[in-house]
Amino acid sequence: MIENCHFVGGTNLATAVGTGVLFDAPLRSGAYNNLVQHCNFTYLNIGINWGAGANLQQVIASEFIGCNYGARPYQAVTGVDGVDTPTIIGGRFEGCDVGLLEGATSGGYFNCRFENSVTADIEFATSSTYAFFSGGYSASSALILKNRTNANSLNMNSSELGYWSLEDSTSRPKMNAGRYVFAATGQTPAIHSATDHSIYFQDYPLLRNSIYLEASNAAANNRIIAIGADGSDVLVVSGYNRATAAYGTIDIGGGNHVRPISNDATTLGSATRLWSEVFAGNATINTSDENSKQQIADLDAAELAVAIRIKALVKKFKFNNAVEAKGDAARIHVGVIAQDVEQAFIAESLDPRAYSLFCEDTIYVDADGVEHDEPADGRTETTKLGVRYTELLAFIIAAM
C-alpha cells in the first residue's frame, strides 16, 4: 500500500515527465490487491500506470494534476497480458492532457472529478471492455469522452459524464458526428451517412408492448405523433398533442400509393371505429371486372319485390351522436333503416344475410355504453346493423 505520498515530475504540463506509480506483474504472474490512497501526482507523464497482467489494483482519493495521463489502466490487448478490474474511487483529475486512459477489462470508476482536461477527460482504447462509471463530474474540459465507440459494453451512469448502457455484442452502436448506427447481432455497424440521420438501424428495432416511439416538435412535452403496439397487439399511430391535450393532424404522402399489405384483406375502420368523413377527389372504384365474378344472373321476382319494398322505406333522420354534439343544429340525413331492410327481405322469404348490401357485425358494449370490437370481462355481446348504399341503390334501380 502507498499512502499520503506526493510525486512530482516537471514544473508544468509541457515539462511533464516520469511515472509516479507503476502497477506491474512480474513474469505476467499477476499482481493483485495493491492500494494507492491519498496521494498526489503532479506534472508527470503518467500519474499511475498499469503493466501487463496488473489486475485488481485500487486507487482511492488521489489527485492527478497537470499530467499527460493521470491514470492509465491500459494494455493494448485483453486476457493474461491485459489489465483487469482496476478501481478508482474519488479521484481528482485537473489540468491533465487526458485524465483517464481506459483500456482494461471490468474497470470500475466511482465519483471521479475531471476539470480543465486539454484533450479529454476520458479516452477509450479498443481493449476497453465492461468499463463501469458511476457518478463523477466534469468542468471546463475540451472533451469529456474521446473515442467512446472504442469501448466494448460500456456502462456509464453519470449526469455529468453521460449515460451509456451497451450490451456485449458486435452490433454495439457506432457514433459518427453525433449520429448513431445500430446493427444486427454479428454484424458490423456501418456509417450510412454523416448528414441524413441521427439514429440509423441496420436491423428491425423492437419496442415492447405499450411502449411508443414518439416524434415531437421543438415545443416542450409536445407529442405530435406516436407509433407503437398496445397490449392487444394493435398497431397505434396517434396524432395526440401533449401541449393542447387534443388530437392533431397526421399528414401521409410523398408516394404514389398508400395501400394495404394484402389484397382485399384489410378494412378501413370497423363496426365500432368509424371514420367520420371521407374527402376524395374521385369516387371509390369497386371491382367490377367480369373475370372476377361468377354465377352472374338477373334479379328474380322475389328480389325485385324486395327492391320495391325498400324503395318505399327511404326516410329522413338525425344521428344520435350528432344531436348530442350539436343539438337542434344537427343536420338531417336521408337513407334507410337497416332493420327495415332486413324485414323487407324476410317478407319475401329471402335471407338478408345472403346479400352483401345488408351488413351485420358483432360488437361488445361495456358498462359505460362504449362499443368495442373485442370481447372482455364486463362487456355484453350484441350486433350492429348497416347497409352498403352503393349496392342498395343498384338493387333499387333494378326494380324501376
Side-chain angles (χ1 to χ4, degrees), residues 177-202:
R179 294 169 171 85
Y180 296 89
V181 176
F182 293 79
T185 301
Q187 294 182 352
T188 300
I191 300 300
H192 178 65
S193 167
T195 58
D196 67 355
H197 70 278
S198 56
I199 300 176
Y200 177 68
F201 293 94
Q202 292 177 215

Side-chain angles (χ1 to χ4, degrees), residues 165-179:
S165 181
L166 310 180
E167 294 183 3
D168 181 27
S169 169
T170 55
S171 65
R172 59 191 172 85
K174 296 291 186 183
M175 180 174 69
N176 180 47
R179 294 169 171 85

